[in-house]
Amino acid sequence: MVDIRITRPNRARDSRTAQSDMTENEKFARSAVILGAATLCGYCLALAAVSGNIGFEGDDWWVFSWPYWHSFPGSLWYFARDCLRPIVGVYWISLFELFGLNRVAFHIASLLLAVGGCTFMGLSLAKAFPGRSAFVGMAVFFAFFLPTVSPLTYVLATDNSRLSLFLFWVCVLAYQRWAEGSASWPGLLIPWFLYALAFCTYEAPSF
């Protein structure tokens, strides 16, 4: 006599196992992104040290005209009113108030801003593709060293795009966490607020 038993699949257990594997993969991808970001930060500091004070160019001096001719914090209001770029105005004018015309400080800020945007992009990709840590890491480095963009890191006036992308990817990551969590309407306020900040920096990817 043959004993035939039918075993039903334990879907709950399989679901927990798959979720656990995804969490481990996401942690590994996140660690790869953080390691890549630390490497890029070291590269930025070394590059700024080697480059030295390379000076400013045309549009940079237009940016400096606002904090030069208007006292702080009135310069923020005049810049936001006349240029309709309130967020990037806070960034530029704050750096001027802190460092004056120190080109090295502005250069480091530009590079680190690019690293920040690439890092948050990588963290967002790690959540979306937890089993593709190698490709996520490559995407972070490719975005930073993109040939058509990398020369512009020496131009202060293009920081608006870097700031916009930074805020945009922070917004995407905040939205992903909202979707994974409560997914409540009040919880959307933070992603919406970050999206509005990215939009108000000018030349935003949200256009």
Side-chain angles (χ1 to χ4, degrees):
M1 183 176 179
V2 180
D3 185 11
I4 300 177
R5 296 180 181 179
I6 300 176
T7 303
R8 294 183 179 180
N10 192 330
R11 295 182 178 179
R13 183 186 60 190
D14 293 343
S15 177
R16 288 194 299 268
T17 302
Q19 186 175 5
S20 177
D21 291 341
M22 182 176 295
T23 302
E24 291 299 323
N25 289 333
E26 183 183 335
K27 287 181 179 179
F28 183 77
R30 190 187 308 156
S31 300
V33 171
I34 294 175
L35 179 60
T39 302
L40 288 176
C41 286
Y43 168 81
C44 291
L45 295 176
L47 181 62
V50 172
S51 301
N53 190 347
I54 58 177
F56 298 98
E57 60 94 37
D59 285 347
D60 297 345
W61 294 111
W62 172 82
V63 171
F64 290 133
S65 67
W66 299 95
Y68 184 82
W69 292 109
H70 304 282
S71 60
F72 185 84
S75 53
L76 295 173
W77 162 250
Y78 290 117
F79 187 92
R81 183 195 65 182
D82 297 341
C83 301
L84 303 178
R85 310 175 188 182
I87 306 304
V88 76
V90 171
Y91 167 78
W92 275 331
I93 294 173
S94 298
L95 284 179
F96 178 84
E97 294 296 332
L98 289 172
F99 302 109
L101 295 175
N102 187 330
R103 184 64 183 90
V104 178
F106 278 92
H107 188 196
I108 293 175
S110 298
L111 292 171
L112 293 181
L113 197 57
V115 172
C118 294
T119 301
F120 279 101
M121 180 198 73
L123 293 175
S124 177
L125 292 177
K127 277 188 171 295
F129 308 100
R132 300 288 186 270
S133 56
F135 291 99
V136 169
M138 290 171 59
V140 170
F141 280 91
F142 180 77
F144 183 83
F145 290 105
L146 192 64
T148 56
V149 176
S150 57
L152 298 180
T153 57
Y154 296 94
V155 181
L156 163 69
T158 59
D159 275 355
N160 46 12
S161 298
R162 281 184 283 275
L163 180 60
S164 180
L165 286 171
F166 172 80
L167 292 171
F168 175 78
W169 284 110
V170 175
C171 167
V172 172
L173 188 61
Y175 179 79
Q176 288 176 313
R177 292 189 173 182
W178 169 83
E180 293 174 349
S182 62
S184 62
W185 284 107
L188 272 177
L189 292 178
I190 294 178
W192 284 349
F193 176 71
L194 292 168
Y195 185 84
L197 291 181
F199 185 87
C200 292
T201 54
Y202 179 73
E203 293 181 0
S206 48
F207 279 109

